[in-house]
Amino acid sequence: MSVIWEFHMANTHNYNHMNREPSELFEDLEESKALFHIHKLQNMCNEVRKQNGDDHMHNFYTITWIKEGEAIHATKYVEYTLRKNSILFVPPGLMHRFISNAHCTGYSITFNEAFFAVKENGEDSVSDSTLFSNPDFRSIITLDEKQQMVFKGITELMGKEFENDDRYRHEMLLQQLKLFLLESRRIYEEQHDLDVSLDEEHPGSVIIKFKQLIDDNYKEQKNVSSYADMLNLRATCLNEITKKTTGITAGELIRNRVIKEAKKMLYGSDLNTKEIAYNLGFNDPAYFSRFFKKYTSQTLSDYRSLIRK
């Protein structure tokens, strides 16, 4: 059994795994969803390594720090080698493969949307930055010796925080994760030319633009054809690109964005379910309730009580 620190909250996310993830080493995520966890790569079992080497996707953010050894990360369009002291950032909903062996050491950190649900001062969450969202799917930074010490300190603090069992634990972990991501963004912006963009027809560019359009319009527009028109594509073409790149359909991508926002409101606001429905562009609150239950297997009130427990 690997050494894993975990921070639980029951039923916080509706995971639809194509393969089992490292987080399932400690328990069935369908019964108890983890908001956040960190584990050592060298303690990952061979079965999970094999499963990660197959095409799969997950519904949480993943950060992998390769301290020693090498690994291969591949999407539908790119494949590259992760070398010593590189950190990889993988967003939810990306079809990919991760090939490593027992000689790799380092850390894997995962967190879902519920853990990062509340944004401060109306600012964008760092989880929405170019670390996780760039058209060439090359979300990697490389650490020098000084930077290694900084990240070593942060990850060790994260691990130690799991040993605490008080009301400050969640907030402490959240702030430590923010620090990790902000330090990462600083390095990413130094190591990558943010002005470089791919051809507009490249699937990566299409997906990035599609996700941006969803973020801007999901309350008013919930059908694929509307977004296809905005992108000057046929709906079937947009659906094909989305399916190949993320493993889910364009409609599912839109729907997941709506559900994501509903969960944020249930967690971070005191709006009642009717008000949330209207805020998300649903004229019929009863239909919204059925919609939420169909795709999360939970009622709105059940989800709110569980996430706030």
Side-chain angles (χ1 to χ4, degrees), residues 213 217 221 225-233:
L213 285 171
N217 299 281
Q221 302 292 342
S225 59
S226 297
Y227 292 97
D229 289 343
M230 295 179 202
L231 292 164
N232 296 316
L233 294 171

Side-chain angles (χ1 to χ4, degrees), residues 48-97:
V48 173
R49 291 182 196 281
K50 183 178 183 301
Q51 291 166 350
N52 285 343
D54 298 329
D55 286 333
H56 68 284
M57 60 180 288
H58 40 68
N59 284 357
F60 44 78
Y61 296 90
T62 304
I63 303 169
T64 305
W65 178 9
I66 305 292
K67 295 187 70 176
E68 297 285 347
E70 292 185 352
I72 294 173
H73 183 252
T75 69
K76 178 74 176 176
Y77 303 101
V78 295
E79 181 174 312
Y80 43 85
T81 300
L82 297 164
R83 294 186 169 83
K84 179 179 178 180
N85 283 312
S86 57
I87 302 180
L88 170 72
F89 303 85
V90 179
L94 176 65
M95 187 70 72
H96 70 131
R97 301 187 305 279

Side-chain angles (χ1 to χ4, degrees), residues 27 48 74 79 105 130 150 179 183 231-232 278 283 287 295:
E27 63 180 272
V48 173
E79 181 174 312
T105 66
T130 50
V150 172
L179 179 58
E183 289 285 359
L231 292 164
N232 296 316
Y278 293 137
N283 295 322
Y287 170 74
Y295 296 113

Side-chain angles (χ1 to χ4, degrees), residues 224-225 228 233-243 250:
V224 175
S225 59
L233 294 171
R234 289 180 289 108
T236 52
C237 181
L238 176 58
N239 196 60
E240 182 180 350
I241 291 172
T242 306
K243 182 74 174 176

Side-chain angles (χ1 to χ4, degrees), residues 244-262:
K244 285 183 178 179
T245 306
T246 68
I248 60 177
T249 65
E252 287 175 296
L253 206 61
I254 299 166
R255 185 183 73 214
N256 290 347
R257 182 64 181 86
V258 175
I259 292 173
K260 166 184 169 181
E261 194 64 25

Side-chain angles (χ1 to χ4, degrees), residues 20-268:
R20 294 177 67 84
E21 293 295 319
S23 50
E24 295 182 82
L25 287 170
F26 54 87
E27 63 180 272
D28 187 347
L29 287 179
E30 288 302 321
E31 295 179 1
S32 180
K33 311 299 191 292
L35 284 175
F36 175 103
H37 83 270
I38 177 172
H39 71 266
K40 294 181 179 180
L41 295 179
Q42 56 268 38
N43 293 326
M44 188 183 298
C45 71
N46 290 331
E47 180 185 357
V48 173
R49 291 182 196 281
K50 183 178 183 301
Q51 291 166 350
N52 285 343
D54 298 329
D55 286 333
H56 68 284
M57 60 180 288
H58 40 68
N59 284 357
F60 44 78
Y61 296 90
T62 304
I63 303 169
T64 305
W65 178 9
I66 305 292
K67 295 187 70 176
E68 297 285 347
E70 292 185 352
I72 294 173
H73 183 252
T75 69
K76 178 74 176 176
Y77 303 101
V78 295
E79 181 174 312
Y80 43 85
T81 300
L82 297 164
R83 294 186 169 83
K84 179 179 178 180
N85 283 312
S86 57
I87 302 180
L88 170 72
F89 303 85
V90 179
L94 176 65
M95 187 70 72
H96 70 131
R97 301 187 305 279
F98 184 80
I99 303 167
S100 65
N101 57 44
H103 300 295
C104 276
T105 66
Y107 292 93
S108 177
I109 300 167
T110 64
F111 60 96
N112 66 17
E113 202 63 49
F115 185 76
F116 230 110
V118 180
K119 298 181 179 181
E120 294 184 349
N121 302 321
E123 297 178 358
D124 290 340
S125 164
V126 288
S127 63
D128 296 325
S129 74
T130 50
L131 283 174
F132 292 100
S133 180
N134 56 77
D136 61 358
F137 304 112
R138 208 173 187 85
S139 301
I140 305 172
I141 61 173
T142 304
L143 306 181
D144 62 26
E145 189 172 337
K146 183 178 179 180
Q147 292 162 344
Q148 291 168 38
M149 295 302 296
V150 172
F151 281 83
K152 180 176 182 289
I154 299 172
T155 53
E156 288 180 351
L157 283 173
M158 287 181 184
K160 289 179 181 178
E161 191 58 43
F162 279 106
E163 298 176 5
N164 295 329
D165 189 21
D166 58 37
R167 63 193 182 95
Y168 299 105
R169 182 170 62 163
H170 186 170
E171 185 62 26
M172 288 291 289
L173 288 169
L174 179 59
Q175 297 304 324
Q176 290 161 0
L177 176 60
K178 285 184 176 181
L179 179 58
F180 189 105
L181 291 171
L182 285 169
E183 289 285 359
S184 299
R185 284 183 69 178
R186 174 185 289 164
I187 297 169
Y188 184 89
E189 291 174 7
E190 291 174 351
Q191 296 180 352
H192 296 264
D193 186 350
L194 302 183
D195 294 327
V196 172
S197 60
L198 299 178
D199 185 278
E200 289 189 358
E201 295 183 359
H202 186 282
S205 292
V206 172
I207 290 300
I208 296 299
K209 289 180 181 178
F210 181 28
K211 288 184 176 181
Q212 290 171 342
L213 285 171
I214 293 173
D215 284 341
D216 293 338
N217 299 281
Y218 69 91
K219 293 181 181 180
E220 296 81 23
Q221 302 292 342
K222 296 180 175 64
N223 59 79
V224 175
S225 59
S226 297
Y227 292 97
D229 289 343
M230 295 179 202
L231 292 164
N232 296 316
L233 294 171
R234 289 180 289 108
T236 52
C237 181
L238 176 58
N239 196 60
E240 182 180 350
I241 291 172
T242 306
K243 182 74 174 176
K244 285 183 178 179
T245 306
T246 68
I248 60 177
T249 65
E252 287 175 296
L253 206 61
I254 299 166
R255 185 183 73 214
N256 290 347
R257 182 64 181 86
V258 175
I259 292 173
K260 166 184 169 181
E261 194 64 25
K263 288 182 174 182
K264 283 186 178 183
M265 289 184 178
L266 289 166
Y267 174 69

